Amino acid sequence: MGSLTDERHTAPSPDAAPRWKNRAARRSGTLVLGALMLTACSSMVAPKPKDPEALAEYNEANDRFEPLNRKMYDLSVKVDKYSMRPVAKAYVWAVPVPVRKSIGNMVRTMNEPSVFFNDVGAGKPRRAGDAFVRWCINMVAGVGGFIDVAKYAGYPHHDNDAGLTLATWGVESGPYLFLPMMGPSSIRDGIGYGIDQGLSPWNYVPRGYGLLTFNWAYNIMGVINARADHLDDLDQVQRDALDPYATIRSAYQQQRKALAQAIKDDHRATVPDWYN
């Protein structure tokens, strides 16, 4: 503090003049940069409407970053049009339905450990037990997960992820986000995605025995297969919806609320039905 006081009340020497000019330039540059950042941030945030009906719609949409999200959506649609969509169409044309279904089963089985950990985190031991049994049955009897034997044994698949687990803890979703090339999300679900990456054991595979190659192939095939599964649905939304962005936003938010509520409402006993 003493040095600042000296600078304010003591006239600078001729040798110090260039330093003062540099400081002034840096401060001016910082102020300009800060002003630009504030302007950019304000342009990313949709202003709250004053009309009560419009305000109710604004709150229901939970999309304060709508201007930025719409830009990310438009960018993703354009990139998808010339990348993932043609690949998905070629994949659907070249790969028979039973094979695509088997690949989907494999991807789902490989994700069961993450589902298991999130079921434990949500305090749902019965769901966690089902996920664990599904993984064991499908990895062995289902030939590495390509056949969903567990479903026929009475253990159907259920969804869970870290975003949903946080929701069961009472963590609010935060504003809606549209992540480039990743799709709909939220502040909570974005954090949950990072947690899920840490929970997936396949992200820790060693470099030997072709396991790293398998991990890359598994992730790439999962992305292509998922895009192919929603090929017709997304095409229909783009073709028929008056506002495809708003339609996707609404569908995503409703689905996430329904999944989180289903987890909260699952009060089944901790032992399987056949045990009784």
Side-chain angles (χ1 to χ4, degrees), residues 198-209:
L199 293 176
S200 177
W202 309 111
N203 290 328
Y204 302 97
V205 296
R207 287 182 173 271
Y209 308 102

Side-chain angles (χ1 to χ4, degrees), residues 123-163:
K124 300 296 180 180
R126 174 61 187 274
R127 289 171 65 94
D130 289 351
F132 179 76
V133 172
R134 274 186 55 81
W135 186 79
C136 292
I137 292 176
N138 286 344
M139 287 297 290
V140 178
V143 194
F146 284 97
I147 305 172
D148 193 354
V149 179
K151 179 178 67 175
Y152 302 107
Y155 296 95
H157 172 74
H158 64 267
D159 289 313
N160 200 358
D161 55 56

Side-chain angles (χ1 to χ4, degrees), residues 91 95-110 144-148 217-226 229:
Y91 175 75
V95 181
V97 173
V99 177
R100 299 203 306 270
K101 186 175 180 180
S102 295
I103 293 175
N105 290 336
M106 184 269 293
V107 172
R108 191 177 299 115
T109 298
M110 295 299 173
F146 284 97
I147 305 172
D148 193 354
Y218 149 70
N219 282 287
I220 292 172
M221 288 305 301
V223 171
I224 295 175
N225 199 72
D229 286 344

Side-chain angles (χ1 to χ4, degrees), residues 20 91 224 236 255 261 276:
W20 276 75
Y91 175 75
I224 295 175
Q236 183 177 1
Q255 181 196 43
Q261 193 61 46
N276 297 322

Side-chain angles (χ1 to χ4, degrees), residues 111 114-115 118 159-166 189 192-193 196 199 256 259 263:
N111 192 51
S114 180
V115 174
N118 280 297
D159 289 313
N160 200 358
D161 55 56
L164 295 174
T165 298
L166 292 174
D189 292 345
Y193 177 80
D196 284 331
L199 293 176
R256 298 298 288 180
L259 289 173
I263 296 173

Side-chain angles (χ1 to χ4, degrees), residues 36-47 64-69 71:
L36 290 175
M37 290 180 65
L38 288 174
T39 303
C41 290
S42 63
S43 66
M44 296 176 186
V45 178
R64 59 177 301 195
F65 300 113
E66 183 172 354
L68 175 63
N69 285 333
K71 290 180 181 179

Side-chain angles (χ1 to χ4, degrees), residues 249-263:
R249 178 185 63 196
S250 177
Y252 175 80
Q253 292 174 333
Q254 291 179 27
Q255 181 196 43
R256 298 298 288 180
K257 288 180 181 178
L259 289 173
Q261 193 61 46
I263 296 173

Side-chain angles (χ1 to χ4, degrees), residues 203-251:
N203 290 328
Y204 302 97
V205 296
R207 287 182 173 271
Y209 308 102
L211 292 177
L212 193 62
T213 302
F214 168 79
N215 190 37
W216 276 100
Y218 149 70
N219 282 287
I220 292 172
M221 288 305 301
V223 171
I224 295 175
N225 199 72
R227 182 64 181 89
D229 286 344
H230 296 92
L231 192 60
D232 294 336
D233 296 335
L234 290 176
D235 284 351
Q236 183 177 1
V237 168
Q238 293 292 337
R239 182 177 62 251
D240 299 336
L242 294 177
D243 185 353
Y245 169 83
T247 300
I248 292 174
R249 178 185 63 196
S250 177

